[in-house]
Amino acid sequence: QKEVEQDPGPLSVPEGAIVSLNCTYSNSAFQYFMWYRQYSRKGPELLMYTYSSGNKEDGRFTAQVDKSSKYISLFIRDSQPSDSATYLCAGRGRGSNYKLTFGKGTLLTVNP
Amino acid sequence: NAGVTQTPKFQVLKTGQSMTLQCAQDMNHNSMYWYRQDPGMGLRLIYYSASEGTTDKGEVPNGYNVSRLNKREFSLRLESAAPSQTSVYFCASSDGGGAYEQYFGPGTRLTVT
C-alpha cells in the first residue's frame, strides 16, 4: 500500500462549483500535510499546509485533516477555470524527517 | 527573488551520454531535493541534501549522483543516461520552522533516446 493514496481523476466541474479533493494516508507518524497545485508543464506550487488535525482556510481554499480516519481534503469554493490543474497532496512526519511523501495527484478541470 | 531555478529547461541525450542538471535557490534554505515525475508514478525523490555538506539517497537513486556545491546550489548528474531516465526532473528547497514545506523549480524535461 502506498503511504499516500489519491484518486487520479480526472475531475471535471462547472465554473462556480465547490470542489472536493481527497487523499488517504497510512503513516501514523505524519504530522504535516500539504497541498500543491501543478499547472501543465510547470513545477508544483505550494497552496497551503496544515499541522495535525483540523481546518485551515485561505481565500477560496480550505484544507482539512482528520487524523482519526487518516483522511486529507482540499475544498475549493466558487471554482474558476484558472483552478484547472493537477492537485497533489503530501504528508510528512515530525522532527528531522525532511522528506515529503506525495500522492500521485488529481487532475481537475473547471469548465466555463 | 527568483526562488528555485533550474537549467536547462529541456535536454535530449543519447543512451550512454552524461549530463548535469543544475539547481539554485536564493531563499537561504538549508535543505534541497531532486525529484523525478513520470506519468502515473507521481513525484519520486531521487536524492536530498538536508544541509550543506550532506546528501542522502531517496526512493530512486540508482543511476544518479548529486553534489551540494554550496548552500545555494545542488546538482544532479546522470553518468550514463538510459531511456528509463526519460522524465521531468524537479528541484526543490525547504527550510526549518516546522513544516519544512518545499518550494519547487520549473523543471527540466529530459529525453533519452
Side-chain angles (χ1 to χ4, degrees):
Chain A
Q1 182 190 6
K2 292 285 286 183
E3 282 193 295
V4 179
E5 301 273 6
Q6 189 173 8
D7 186 338
L11 181 61
S12 182
V13 301
E15 184 175 353
I18 297 174
V19 176
S20 172
L21 301 166
N22 306 296
C23 295
T24 58
Y25 67 96
S26 58
N27 190 335
S28 300
F30 283 173
Q31 294 281 344
Y32 295 92
F33 303 91
M34 296 168 199
W35 283 96
Y36 286 82
R37 177 175 62 195
Q38 186 175 21
Y39 292 116
S40 180
R41 305 179 79 84
K42 300 289 187 185
E45 168 195 10
L46 179 67
L47 274 176
M48 56 202 305
Y49 71 87
T50 54
Y51 172 69
S52 195
S53 283
N55 292 2
K56 187 173 183 178
E57 190 174 316
D58 185 1
R60 296 184 295 110
F61 297 88
T62 299
Q64 194 171 79
V65 176
D66 182 347
K67 292 197 76 181
S68 63
S69 59
K70 295 190 174 68
Y71 205 76
I72 314 165
S73 300
L74 178 71
F75 298 97
I76 307 174
R77 291 184 300 281
D78 188 24
S79 57
Q80 302 295 310
S82 59
D83 295 328
S84 298
T86 296
Y87 289 81
L88 301 156
C89 62
R92 188 183 79 76
R94 198 175 181 183
S96 61
N97 180 353
Y98 301 96
K99 294 181 284 185
L100 285 176
T101 301
F102 285 88
K104 293 183 180 179
T106 299
L107 177 61
L108 170 68
T109 300
V110 181
N111 301 298
Chain B
N1 276 0
V4 180
T5 57
Q6 293 182 236
T7 56
K9 287 187 169 47
F10 303 94
Q11 185 71 49
V12 179
L13 290 178
K14 293 189 188 322
T15 298
Q17 288 184 320
S18 62
M19 78 161 295
T20 300
L21 282 65
Q22 306 285 356
C23 174
Q25 52 91 9
D26 62 2
M27 296 176 281
N28 201 35
H29 285 171
N30 286 318
S31 304
M32 298 183 74
Y33 312 80
W34 277 106
Y35 292 88
R36 59 178 290 174
Q37 187 175 42
D38 303 289
M41 301 295 290
L43 281 163
R44 293 184 290 171
L45 183 65
I46 304 171
Y47 270 93
Y48 69 103
S49 171
S51 61
E52 189 178 353
T54 69
T55 60
D56 283 288
K57 294 178 181 179
E59 185 183 350
V60 287
N62 291 346
Y64 305 95
N65 285 302
V66 290
S67 295
R68 184 73 184 266
L69 304 169
N70 47 56
K71 191 172 184 180
R72 290 187 62 248
E73 298 172 290
F74 189 38
S75 63
L76 178 72
R77 183 160 178 84
L78 287 71
E79 289 291 352
S80 178
S84 60
Q85 294 177 305
T86 293
S87 188
V88 183
Y89 291 85
F90 290 103
C91 177
S93 70
S94 72
D95 206 344
Y100 289 94
E101 64 271 27
Q102 295 181 16
Y103 296 88
F104 285 79
T108 294
R109 292 186 172 272
L110 175 67
T111 301
V112 183
T113 61

